Amino acid sequence: MSSQEEALKSLLAALEVSPDNIPLRQHVASILFDLERYEEAEFHLTEALKFAPNHVDIKLELAETFFEQEKNSAALVILEELLEQDPPLAKAFLLHAYISFWNGETPQALESYQEAVRLDHGLRDVSFENQLAEKGAASGDPHGGRVPTEYLTEEQPIDQIERPSIKFQDVGGMDDLKEEINLKMIAPMQHPELYQAYGKSIGGGLLMYGPPGCGKTHLARATAGEVRAAFISVGINDILDMWIGNSEKNLHHIFQLARSQAPCVLFFDEVDALGASRTDMKQSGGRHLINQFLSELDGVKYSNEGVLILAATNTPWHMDPAFRRPGRFDRILFVPPPDEAARAAILHLMLKGKPTGKIDYSKLAKKTNGLSGADLKNLIDLTVETKLRESMKTGKPLPIEQADLLKVVSQVRSSTKEWFSTARNYALYSNEGGLYDDILTYLKIKK
């Protein structure tokens, strides 16, 4: 007998003593539902409604139980009432979408689903979205599955506008990269009159590439902090949409938001997912999105003045070459794992504020050759966990000592080796125009 079933047996016994205990009966129904004993769950929910006929949550749970038993008509009777609730119930709209789709009413399913996600984005069901898209395409929709505009929710403004307080001094190492970014992106914003005198626009695009976990995102955020600019971090989920044309609209909306916040640093993480080579694409939708991205970078219709566009990728060789043309991501920087001095600085920053003994950061840095910033964080986290176990026994925080860190170093493996194995081949055999020469220099390989 499982733990759930054992608990259920005790709860059922308690219900016999107190049959009008609504929370208890609701809890019993929930366990029965998890055990897929839907008829029994239905019984207890129905009994609970006798004592609380207006209990919204119980009604919704009963509708879900009906749906699992394919009693869709009974579920719809309840949902018709719940959909009129104020405030509206997102889960009721989602269940209505499922039932409508089950009944072959795809437009109605889509409308209810969009409303559910608008009310609660956490209810998004990618699998269901794919089913909706396939159904729309199979129905002979001339737009290839695009939903009618009356069913689309309005664009949601990105709510991740930051005002970073960190600056370059908070980023360990990377001195050459900081100098390059300062020269090409920060100085124009700090001395606009000089650039205006030469007719040079303020802004532009810079692509950072290298192995994962080496601080590309952290450096982008510090760039915004240096010029006291807004910072917008964009991931693929903020752009990609299931419906044709919506991804382009989302991308345009984000660029417009950055323009309205100028000075602003607009940062695209994993940009290769948005800017993959068009020659490798089988679907036209991806090519349309890339064309939109290139148009936004060019700033033909809308000025990008005051917008610094940074992007990061672990696989620059998968990006469309058009992104590297002048005026787009024409400035490309290699972000390698931190060198010895940088590792010492990073470790010092990561241990700042923690109880420590005497730490020889130079010696520690020599022992961590090849580790990325993320690897170093893992080193610190593992060491802290060890000291916490010891501190629990004494009841007071014990300082992190040099020996503690050196003991854990052997447990941390470099996460960059696999990346360099792949990057080395591209740098040797697909290095048009010397784009990846920095990789060869780092690996000390002569062409």
Side-chain angles (χ1 to χ4, degrees), residues 253-268:
H253 171 68
I254 287 173
F255 267 91
Q256 287 292 72
L257 181 63
R259 291 163 184 145
S260 70
Q261 296 292 319
C264 179
V265 173
L266 181 57
F267 175 65
F268 291 90

Side-chain angles (χ1 to χ4, degrees), residues 92-103:
F93 279 98
L94 182 63
L95 182 57
H96 190 262
Y98 291 154
I99 294 175
S100 298
F101 185 77
W102 179 277
N103 291 338

Side-chain angles (χ1 to χ4, degrees), residues 73-141:
S73 296
L76 285 172
V77 170
I78 298 175
L79 287 176
E80 285 178 5
E81 177 186 347
L82 295 179
L83 293 177
E84 300 298 324
Q85 289 288 322
D86 187 20
L89 296 174
K91 288 185 178 180
F93 279 98
L94 182 63
L95 182 57
H96 190 262
Y98 291 154
I99 294 175
S100 298
F101 185 77
W102 179 277
N103 291 338
E105 301 169 352
T106 304
Q108 182 60 57
L110 180 58
E111 184 176 6
S112 296
Y113 176 72
Q114 292 284 0
E115 182 64 13
V117 174
R118 185 187 70 81
L119 294 170
D120 184 354
H121 193 70
L123 294 179
R124 188 176 178 193
D125 184 340
V126 176
S127 176
F128 184 57
E129 289 177 5
N130 292 335
Q131 289 179 292
L132 284 169
E134 290 173 7
K135 194 75 172 180
S139 67
D141 182 355

